[in-house]
Amino acid sequence: MNILLKSAKIIDPTNGDLHMKKRDIYIKNGTIEDIGSNLEVQGKTKVIEHKNLHVSVGWFDSGISFGEPGYEERETIANGLYTAAKSGFTDIVLNPNSNPVPDSSSDIIFLRNAAAQSATTLHPLASLTIKSEGESLAELYDMKTAGAVGFYDYKLPLKNSNLLKVALQYAHNFDGLVFSFPMDKQIAGKGIVNEGEISTKLGLKGIPHLAEELNIVRDLFILEYAGGKMHIPTISTENSVKLIAEAKKKGLDVSCSVALHNLCFTDETLVEFDTHYKLIPPLRTNKDNKALIKGLKNGTIDFVTTDHRPMDIEQKRVEFDNAEDGTIGLETAFGMMNQIFDLETTIVFLTKGRERFEIPLPSLRVGEKATLTLFDPTAEYTFNEEHIISTSKNSCFLGAKLKGRVYGVISNNQIIS
């Protein structure tokens, strides 16, 4: 397949020669053949022209959930990857949030095979423990060999401190990445929202900042003792940022992410008891949000994730106490981030993080495989249900005003546009 992108403005801060320049990009059989001005069409070529077309290397998300196997009514792998591609993502890390969870090498092979023909590449996480029950380690080495990029009991904190220590020590032998979800369940108790003034006014049980921060302190002490590589997903408090900054200064091999919605909303959005805003970690305060954004800008927080988690309507259209946690976020990632940050910073955050998972970095240069995202950063619109591609419609961004529209991707010698 031959493709010619016409008059595309390139956003690539790593490439001083092309950054912010308008160029034609000629792609032959999945490889960038030429970049220049007024390139001529060669033979049978698909020409792509869009209003205010911009292009960057393909975007990456470090924490996506679908449903298959077991919860196909929420989202299948095929439609989930199509949604990711239409949202601009050429690589996603898939959370082990299925039934059964992927806790063997054959499960990892199944996930990779199910995604093999997609434009967006799926990189599976494996469960850290058997059945994600927190009792015994799963087949970590075998799953890494099969293609797992890390080990995670999805949103389930590991109660057994010694098991976390052993996991870090064992995975260190083959450079495995161990996730630890930051929440002390005993402190959190039956809390469902941020503990504070809003939870008191609404009569909802709160989750204090301490529940997250105490778990992070424990994890960092264990990491310092055991060695290895740790990732702490979706932090949400000001003090969590400080704790991780101190750990990095010590030289600990720790990374962390923040969920996009924890940058965009606070617990004040809960006043109408809208279950779309029931999330884990919960929405915190404006002070926390500012600290998280600052942590991203100074490099303490390594990357933003949509924390995309489809839930069918029966799990959300119930009383707030009984609703499931989670929101979809792929379709709104660019439009929301592009309002918080300038365009160049937005693209940096959307493209960074692969190296932590040992995923090859794409490059927008002649001779390299074409892994590109196409978008218009100036289009403005209000996000509503007709813009949702996901099977599930549980978006906390419904009604939000977005800045920036994604045209699609060119990846794995395919066009999704």
Side-chain angles (χ1 to χ4, degrees):
M1 179 189 299
N2 299 337
I3 304 166
L4 181 63
L5 297 179
K6 292 294 292 181
S7 299
K9 191 171 186 178
I10 295 171
I11 308 297
D12 186 359
T14 68
N15 189 339
D17 293 335
L18 292 175
H19 182 48
M20 303 298 290
K21 305 285 178 59
K22 270 193 177 184
R23 295 288 187 269
D24 295 348
I25 302 172
Y26 178 59
I27 300 163
K28 183 176 181 180
N29 297 325
T31 299
I32 299 173
E33 188 84 1
D34 197 6
I35 300 174
S37 300
N38 301 314
L39 296 181
E40 294 184 4
V41 176
Q42 302 178 27
K44 190 176 181 181
T45 299
K46 181 176 178 62
V47 178
I48 296 179
E49 296 181 89
H50 286 296
K51 180 181 177 182
N52 197 26
L53 176 60
H54 286 56
V55 62
S56 73
V57 296
W59 300 345
F60 169 74
D61 195 319
S62 64
I64 299 294
S65 296
F66 292 147
E68 185 180 356
Y71 302 117
E72 287 83 356
E73 72 280 3
R74 298 178 187 173
E75 190 62 277
T76 62
I77 291 172
N79 192 66
L81 290 172
Y82 177 73
T83 301
K86 289 288 286 183
S87 304
F89 294 89
T90 58
D91 291 271
I92 61 102
V93 172
L94 183 67
N95 289 318
N97 183 30
S98 56
N99 184 23
V101 295
D103 60 2
S104 69
S105 57
S106 60
D107 295 328
I108 299 301
I109 292 168
F110 164 78
L111 292 170
R112 295 187 68 195
N113 287 343
Q117 304 303 315
S118 298
T120 296
T121 303
L122 183 154
H123 307 275
L125 288 172
S127 294
L128 181 63
T129 64
I130 295 172
K131 297 182 180 180
S132 289
E133 292 177 344
E135 299 294 331
S136 303
L137 292 180
E139 304 169 356
L140 304 189
Y141 178 74
D142 288 348
M143 292 191 290
K144 172 79 182 287
T145 302
V149 296
F151 310 106
Y152 183 24
D153 289 350
Y154 178 68
K155 292 193 185 288
L156 296 171
L158 200 59
K159 297 177 185 177
N160 187 331
S161 299
N162 187 60
L163 194 60
L164 177 59
K165 181 201 75 172
V166 172
L168 284 165
Q169 290 173 326
Y170 176 55
H172 188 43
N173 293 314
F174 50 88
D175 205 28
L177 181 62
V178 174
F179 280 56
S180 183
F181 183 66
M183 182 168 299
D184 185 306
K185 283 288 191 180
Q186 283 69 43
I187 298 292
K190 296 182 179 179
I192 55 175
V193 298
N194 179 57
E195 181 183 87
E197 182 180 343
I198 300 297
S199 65
T200 302
K201 283 182 178 178
L202 299 179
L204 297 172
K205 293 178 180 177
I207 302 173
H209 289 57
L210 179 65
E212 176 171 307
E213 295 155 7
L214 189 62
N215 213 79
I216 289 176
V217 169
R218 180 204 72 163
D219 291 352
L220 294 174
F221 268 114
I222 293 173
L223 178 63
E224 186 172 13
Y225 175 85
K229 294 198 309 187
M230 178 182 286
H231 180 66
I232 301 175
T234 59
I235 67 170
S236 67
T237 77
E238 179 183 25
N239 203 37
S240 293
V241 179
K242 293 177 181 177
L243 290 167
I244 292 169
E246 291 168 3
K248 288 188 172 185
K249 285 179 182 177
K250 286 183 179 180
L252 299 186
D253 194 350
V254 61
S255 58
C256 66
S257 65
V258 60
L260 177 58
H261 42 260
N262 282 103
L263 304 177
C264 303
F265 304 116
T266 69
D267 55 0
E268 293 180 6
T269 61
L270 302 173
V271 292
E272 294 182 1
F273 295 91
D274 187 340
T275 59
H276 286 128
Y277 298 102
K278 189 180 181 187
L279 306 161
I280 291 293
L283 299 175
R284 301 288 189 181
T285 67
N286 187 53
K287 187 179 179 184
D288 291 310
N289 287 21
K290 288 180 178 178
L292 292 166
I293 291 171
K294 183 179 178 181
L296 273 166
K297 290 180 175 178
N298 66 29
T300 299
I301 300 175
D302 296 273
F303 28 85
V304 182
T305 174
T306 61
D307 200 21
H308 180 89
R309 189 184 189 189
M311 286 289 168
D312 56 51
I313 193 168
E314 289 82 3
Q315 295 163 315
K316 282 292 188 179
R317 194 171 288 177
V318 293
E319 296 83 359
F320 197 93
D321 282 9
N322 297 325
E324 290 287 344
D325 309 305
T327 179
I328 59 173
L330 283 169
E331 296 96 323
T332 47
F334 178 56
M336 292 302 295
M337 287 181 66
N338 197 34
Q339 294 185 101
I340 302 171
F341 308 104
D342 62 74
L343 176 59
E344 185 172 317
T345 303
T346 295
I347 297 304
V348 168
F349 289 149
L350 283 167
T351 54
K352 71 184 297 194
R354 289 175 172 89
E355 62 278 5
R356 187 60 171 166
F357 300 89
E358 300 177 1
I359 297 169
L361 300 175
S363 176
L364 211 167
R365 287 177 169 82
V366 173
E368 298 289 338
K369 180 180 175 184
T371 305
L372 308 175
T373 299
L374 316 179
F375 57 95
D376 172 5
T378 60
E380 296 185 358
Y381 64 102
T382 300
F383 183 75
N384 54 50
E385 197 164 308
E386 73 180 32
H387 298 116
I388 295 177
I389 310 164
S390 303
T391 301
S392 295
K393 312 301 178 186
N394 58 307
S395 174
C396 67
F397 301 100
L398 285 168
K401 293 184 178 178
L402 305 187
K403 181 186 177 185
R405 187 183 298 276
V406 179
Y407 291 124
V409 301
I410 298 173
S411 181
N412 293 331
N413 201 22
Q414 297 181 50
I415 306 171
I416 302 295
S417 181

